[in-house]
Amino acid sequence: MMLTAAARKLSLSVQTYANWARKACAGKLASVDAQRLQPVNELQAEVNRLKRELAMACEERDILM
């Protein structure tokens, strides 16, 4: 796949994609810090909590209007 087509498919600028590709080929991309990543279930629980909180805030706003 051509560089521009790949960048477009990923919704990235061509320059960003080219930089990533060059660093990947040189083995200089930063690795992901596994200790900083939260398990998906914790993230999903946070999303669900925030959705409930938003729903409550919207309901309160509608009552006050």
Side-chain angles (χ1 to χ4, degrees):
M1 183 180 297
M2 299 209 42
L3 186 86
T4 54
R8 192 174 305 121
K9 185 173 182 173
L10 295 171
S11 300
L12 295 171
S13 73
V14 175
Q15 186 61 48
T16 297
Y17 187 80
N19 289 340
W20 287 356
R22 186 173 48 257
K23 286 181 181 181
C25 288
K28 294 184 179 179
L29 277 181
S31 62
V32 174
D33 184 5
Q35 294 178 351
R36 289 181 37 195
L37 296 179
Q38 291 180 324
V40 174
N41 54 353
E42 287 181 27
L43 293 174
Q44 190 58 48
E46 178 71 2
V47 168
N48 291 339
R49 184 188 67 76
L50 291 170
K51 284 182 180 181
R52 285 192 305 273
E53 190 176 315
L54 176 60
M56 186 182 301
C58 289
E59 188 176 318
E60 290 172 356
R61 180 206 60 208
D62 292 343
I63 290 170
L64 293 173
M65 290 181 110

